[in-house]
Each structure stands twice: as C-alpha cells, then as structure tokens.
Amino acid sequence: MRKAIDKILGSALIVIMAMMVLNVLWQVFTRFVVGTPSSFTDELARYLMIWVGILGAAYAAGQDMHVAIDVLPQKLKKTTQMKLSIMVKLIIALFALVAMIVGGGRLVYITYVLDQLSPALQIPLAYVYLVIPISGFLIMYYKISDILKPTT
C-alpha cells in the first residue's frame, strides 16, 4: 500500500509542478507578448506553490529525506539509536496529528463555514487549505508505518 501511495503522491506532485510551470509561462506570455497580464495567474501560482510545498513535505517524510541532524545518533549504541528513531517518529506523528490534522482541519472548516473565497479565482479558500490535513494524514501514515516496519 505504501508504494501505491508513494506513486500517487509523486505523480500528483509532478502534475502540480507542471501546472505551475504552465501557469507562469502563461503569465509571462500575457504580460510581455499580449501586453495585458492575466488576472488569475499570480494567485494560482501562489496556491499551487502552497500545495507542492506541503505535499512535498509529506513525500519527503515518507522517503525519509527530510532534514535531520544526525550527530547525536551516530555517537549512540545501535539499540539506543533505534529507540531515539522511534521517539522522533512518534513526535513527528504527534505534530502531524495536532498541528496539521486537527489545526488544519479546523482552518478548513472555519474558512468553509465563513465561505471565504479567493480574490481572483473565486474558489473557496477551504480548498487551498485542505492540503494541510491531507499532508498531516500522509505524514502520520508514513511515520507510523516506519515504526511498525520490521527491522532487518
């Protein structure tokens, strides 16, 4: 299941990046060739950047490519390293639960209930913020999966 999630998430990131590139190219074309800049491209680029950044963080967490300081673990015994690794993964999962899933979910709910729309695109901002709890679920899944994975 993890490989399927990795593949879907990686493909989604590629699509979002491609959309962002096409959007910026359209912005440059309309500004410098047509002479009338497109009204929605700045906002769309900003929202796509948010999605690629936060989903990219979840993907990096799933691949264990996130930034880490490993000076301390290298000086510890192997069993202590494993315990520290589990503790760090639990803290990351707890952060994903509290800040991203609960906090992000509340943000999505509030912006949805208040019916806040983006200025240029006129889409609900709840859709933009939805990436936060989605990424939180993914990060939690990856870290719990890492903890439960048998070590060889």
Side-chain angles (χ1 to χ4, degrees):
M1 181 168 162
R2 185 173 176 139
K3 287 184 182 182
I5 291 173
D6 288 344
K7 187 172 177 111
I8 292 168
L9 185 55
S11 298
L13 288 167
I14 290 169
V15 168
I16 294 170
M17 280 297 294
M19 287 172 54
M20 195 162 52
V21 167
L22 291 173
N23 178 59
V24 172
L25 286 173
W26 178 253
Q27 179 181 30
V28 170
F29 176 77
T30 58
R31 179 170 297 187
F32 294 109
V33 176
V34 178
T36 309
S38 181
S39 61
F40 69 89
T41 51
D42 286 339
E43 190 172 286
L44 182 59
R46 188 176 314 120
Y47 296 154
L48 291 172
M49 181 68 87
I50 290 168
W51 271 72
V52 82
I54 296 177
L55 281 177
Y59 185 78
Q63 304 300 311
D64 267 341
M65 296 183 337
H66 47 74
V67 177
I69 300 172
D70 61 352
V71 175
L72 176 63
Q74 291 177 353
K75 297 180 187 248
L76 300 173
K77 296 178 194 169
K78 195 70 171 168
T79 56
T80 310
Q81 283 180 5
M82 288 174 52
K83 289 176 185 175
L84 180 62
S85 174
I86 290 171
M87 187 175 74
V88 168
K89 288 172 183 163
L90 281 173
I91 291 170
I92 292 170
L94 183 65
F95 172 81
L97 174 66
V98 173
M100 298 181 81
I101 296 172
V102 174
R106 290 185 65 185
L107 176 64
V108 169
Y109 176 74
I110 289 168
T111 54
Y112 182 75
V113 167
L114 294 176
D115 200 29
Q116 293 181 344
L117 301 175
S118 66
L121 294 171
Q122 291 297 302
I123 60 170
L125 283 176
Y127 294 164
V128 176
Y129 299 141
L130 189 61
V131 71
I132 299 169
I134 290 171
S135 292
F137 277 114
L138 289 168
I139 291 170
M140 250 186 87
Y141 167 77
Y142 282 131
K143 292 304 144 190
I144 291 171
S145 168
D146 287 344
I147 292 169
L148 298 177
K149 181 172 40 178
T151 57
T152 52

